[in-house]
Amino acid sequence: MIKKTIIITGGAGFIGSNLIEKLKKNFSIVVIDELKKKSNNVTCINKKLSKLNCKDKIVIQNSFGIIHLAAVTHATLTYKLLSECVEANFNSIVELIEIIKKKKIKPWIIMASTGDLEKYEKKNKRPYEITKKASEEILETCSKYHNFKAITVRFSPVYGSINDSKKKIIPSLIRKFRLNRTIFIDNPNLKLNYIHIDDLSENIMNIVYNLENFKSNYKLLKL
């Protein structure tokens, strides 16, 4: 039985790496990422979306679906990385839509977004929030106009697995607990929401398997 192909942009990252291991059992996976991805039974295209050639674009056009994870996620650095932020967070989804829009049978798109977006919409927005919101809106508009299925998934910061960065707050706290170090809490009223990588991967997989049950072209899901 020939497996259907799923494209994962940003698949060499933390979320993509974990998601691939779950999806590749039932799907053929093609990763598009500048970073090289080492994984068995996975095809890698080590390019930016803006640098894809005709052959690469045909692979995308003929795929079953696209999971779009590529993004500049360091929100506080997006003022310094403005060009990179706009290219990764907004231009990349435009590139994907341009590639698939003329196909009669189009692949679906699942796009990752941030669960903090609503909070920052009420404050002074950074380039990160502006570009993520714009990408959501362009995906919604174009999915309806060009008639393809699209889901935006907003989720909290992710933690878990041995591949998680030791600089993140959860691995840092766990390490301090293990070493019996003192942990200082400046603001006891501060609430932080996180989602475990396994929970996020399971949720995305459930969306993939249940896309046909979504009646509208576009849906915003909050995990």
Side-chain angles (χ1 to χ4, degrees), residues 200-216:
L200 177 60
S201 296
E202 288 295 331
N203 273 281
I204 293 176
M205 286 178 62
N206 286 334
I207 294 169
V208 170
Y209 290 125
N210 290 286
L211 264 169
E212 62 183 23
N213 297 325
F214 291 100
K215 295 180 180 179
S216 60

Side-chain angles (χ1 to χ4, degrees), residues 182-200:
T182 302
I183 296 173
F184 297 96
I185 300 175
D186 296 325
N187 183 1
N189 296 318
L190 181 64
K191 294 181 180 180
L192 299 174
N193 295 317
Y194 285 83
I195 184 169
H196 193 277
I197 184 61
D198 289 341
D199 293 329
L200 177 60

Side-chain angles (χ1 to χ4, degrees), residues 9 56 75 86 141-142 163 199:
T9 70
D56 301 327
V86 173
T141 299
C142 290
N163 297 319
D199 293 329

